[in-house]
Amino acid sequence: MVLESTMICIDNSEWMRNGDYSPSRFQAQADAVNLICGAKTQSNPENTVGILTMAGKGVRVLVTPTTDLGKILGCMHGLEIGGEMNITAGIQVAQLALKHRQNKKQQQRIIVFAGSPVTYDKKALEAIGRKLKKNSVALDVVDFGDEEDGKAEKLDALIASVNNNESSHIVHVPAGTDALSDVLISTPIFTGDGEGGSGFTAAAAAAGGMSGFDFGVDPNLDPELALALRISMEEERARQEAAAKKATEDASKQETDGKQASSSRDVGMAEAVSSSHNDLDKKDDQMDDETSLLQQAVAMSMDKLAPVPSSSTVIADADMSDAVDQDLALALQMSIEDSAKDSSTDTEVNKVLGDQSLMSSILASLPGVNPDDPSVKELLGSLQRQSEDKENEDESGKKEEKQ
């Protein structure tokens, strides 16, 4: 650990009222200063820190280099803001305060916060830098706030003139940064640079909530707590790994079940479709069989009910019973007309018409004819009367021929 005495130069000019850094330039600067002071005093118990202001009525030393952190932080409250920053006077007063340090073995370092324009030219700054280098004083500059023309170049020239074995650093923080301390904690001003640097890397990390040890606990100081924390972390890691493995297995199982369910659904749908097709085929076959049987029955009926040739015109609009009676009458009439050509046939027809039982059996054998139907009986009676009249006419004609 580097034994070091540090003077921090604060910019409390009018430009510190601006709000381009949260919550303001001055408050962001104060937070960064508090962090640096805490890191310095914790890195080595013999380190000392002092603070001075560079604006207002003039350079004013708030506290000389001391190890009392409470005194250092207390001097930051109630500071007045105003005037312009005098960077050269601030650096010179800081060098003088470091020269009168109590422990001469402490290395000297000045940290300057420049948040307002730099009015001095480059040559004046380079001259101050060479003087600091001659007296073995390291310089760190935090450039933030106004970005006027030439300010960065002037500060870079100052660091170049004072730098010795990379012991001095400059950090340019752009406007709009939320927390100035968050930017500085990752810069060489906090990380240190070995023998020629600040040497408070571990302390700065501890002040920022970090440490070089696991879980933020030094096992040399509290081995039991470090062991308990390590065991707890291992158990938590094992639990997380088991949970992740279980989640992976559940996901793969759900995926497999989903595939099986989809395949079974597909098979079921295929079977249902095939069964439906089979049922339709069976129904079609049954319908075809029934249709063929129906066609055969119709054909047989048509063969039995073949129409008898007739010279008369059948009335299409008559009802079924009248059509049957007319067909029967026509058939009988045709039989009678044919029998008129042959006398022997006429005799047989008369005999048939005269035989009531025979006519009844003939009519009963015809499909769709009811022998007991009054219309049928009336038709038979008229035919019998016609045959009897014809027989009487034939007999009278024969008698006349004989006379």
Side-chain angles (χ1 to χ4, degrees):
M1 294 182 292
V2 179
L3 183 61
E4 193 173 55
S5 179
T6 306
M7 283 296 297
I8 300 176
C9 302
I10 297 176
D11 185 359
N12 61 329
S13 62
E14 287 289 343
W15 281 266
M16 294 298 101
R17 300 182 188 274
N18 293 347
D20 50 355
Y21 294 85
S22 179
S24 65
R25 287 188 187 181
F26 184 79
Q27 188 60 43
Q29 177 185 223
D31 294 340
V33 169
N34 292 338
L35 184 61
I36 291 175
C37 293
K40 286 286 187 179
T41 55
Q42 291 180 17
S43 62
N44 194 319
E46 296 183 6
N47 283 351
T48 59
V49 179
I51 297 178
L52 62 83
T53 59
M54 296 183 294
K57 296 180 180 180
V59 177
R60 184 165 66 98
V61 177
L62 300 179
V63 59
T64 56
T66 179
T67 58
D68 188 356
L69 181 60
K71 186 177 181 180
I72 297 171
L73 299 179
C75 70
M76 295 290 297
H77 298 286
L79 288 179
E80 296 181 358
I81 298 175
E84 295 182 358
M85 178 185 67
N86 191 342
I87 188 171
T88 56
I91 292 175
Q92 291 174 354
V93 172
Q95 181 184 0
L96 183 61
L98 291 175
K99 184 178 180 180
H100 293 85
R101 65 191 184 279
Q102 295 180 356
N103 188 354
K104 300 300 181 179
K105 295 182 180 180
Q106 293 174 330
Q107 296 182 5
Q108 304 173 80
R109 179 172 295 275
I110 299 174
I111 300 177
V112 176
F113 284 84
S116 58
V118 177
T119 59
Y120 294 91
D121 58 3
K122 186 183 298 184
K123 292 182 179 180
L125 296 176
E126 289 178 349
I128 294 176
R130 287 192 294 269
K131 185 177 181 181
L132 293 176
K133 184 176 181 181
K134 181 179 179 180
N135 295 321
S136 300
V137 179
L139 178 65
D140 292 333
V141 177
V142 180
D143 178 20
F144 69 104
D146 288 9
E147 298 179 358
E148 65 174 22
D149 295 337
K151 178 184 177 182
E153 295 179 1
K154 293 177 182 179
L155 295 177
D156 290 337
L158 174 61
I159 294 297
S161 62
V162 73
N163 198 3
N164 184 17
N165 296 327
E166 300 298 329
S167 61
S168 300
H169 311 91
I170 184 170
V171 177
H172 300 281
V173 182
T177 305
D178 292 336
L180 187 60
S181 58
D182 292 344
V183 178
L184 294 179
I185 200 169
S186 60
T187 61
I189 295 177
F190 275 78
T191 58
D193 55 357
E195 296 180 356
S198 60
F200 57 91
T201 305
M210 301 177 294
S211 66
F213 306 105
D214 294 337
F215 319 113
V217 177
D218 187 358
N220 297 323
L221 299 178
D222 196 346
E224 295 179 358
L225 179 59
L227 179 60
L229 292 175
R230 186 178 295 106
I231 294 174
S232 177
M233 180 60 69
E234 291 177 357
E235 291 178 354
E236 179 66 18
R237 188 181 296 110
R239 187 190 65 79
Q240 292 179 358
E241 291 177 356
K245 184 178 180 181
K246 184 178 180 181
T248 304
E249 292 177 354
D250 293 341
S252 61
K253 184 177 180 181
Q254 291 178 0
E255 184 178 359
T256 305
D257 295 340
K259 290 182 179 179
Q260 292 179 355
S262 61
S263 61
S264 62
R265 267 200 312 274
D266 295 339
V267 172
M269 291 177 65
E271 292 178 354
V273 171
S274 61
S275 63
S276 62
H277 284 309
N278 294 331
D279 295 339
L280 291 175
D281 294 337
K282 290 180 181 179
K283 290 181 179 179
D284 292 339
D285 295 339
Q286 292 177 359
M287 291 178 66
D288 293 339
D289 296 338
E290 293 177 357
T291 304
S292 61
L293 292 174
L294 182 60
Q295 291 177 354
Q296 293 178 2
V298 171
M300 292 174 66
S301 301
M302 292 298 293
D303 293 338
K304 292 181 179 180
L305 297 177
V308 180
S310 173
S311 60
S312 302
T313 302
V314 181
I315 301 173
D317 296 334
D319 56 1
M320 185 60 68
S321 61
D322 294 339
V324 174
D325 296 340
Q326 291 176 1
D327 292 338
L328 180 59
L330 290 173
L332 295 176
Q333 186 176 358
M334 289 176 64
S335 300
I336 294 172
E337 290 178 354
D338 291 338
S339 64
K341 298 179 181 180
D342 191 357
S343 59
S344 61
T345 305
D346 293 340
T347 305
E348 293 177 357
V349 170
N350 292 331
K351 292 180 179 179
V352 170
L353 293 174
D355 193 350
Q356 295 293 332
S357 61
L358 181 60
M359 287 300 297
S360 298
S361 61
I362 292 172
L363 293 176
S365 63
L366 294 175
V369 178
N370 186 8
D372 296 331
D373 193 353
S375 59
V376 175
K377 291 182 179 181
E378 184 178 359
L379 180 61
L380 289 176
S382 61
L383 291 176
Q384 290 178 358
R385 287 194 296 273
Q386 290 179 3
S387 63
E388 290 176 356
D389 294 340
K390 189 171 183 181
E391 288 179 356
N392 294 330
E393 291 178 357
D394 293 338
E395 290 179 357
S396 60
K398 288 179 181 181
K399 290 180 179 180
E400 291 178 355
E401 287 177 2
K402 287 179 179 183
Q403 292 176 0

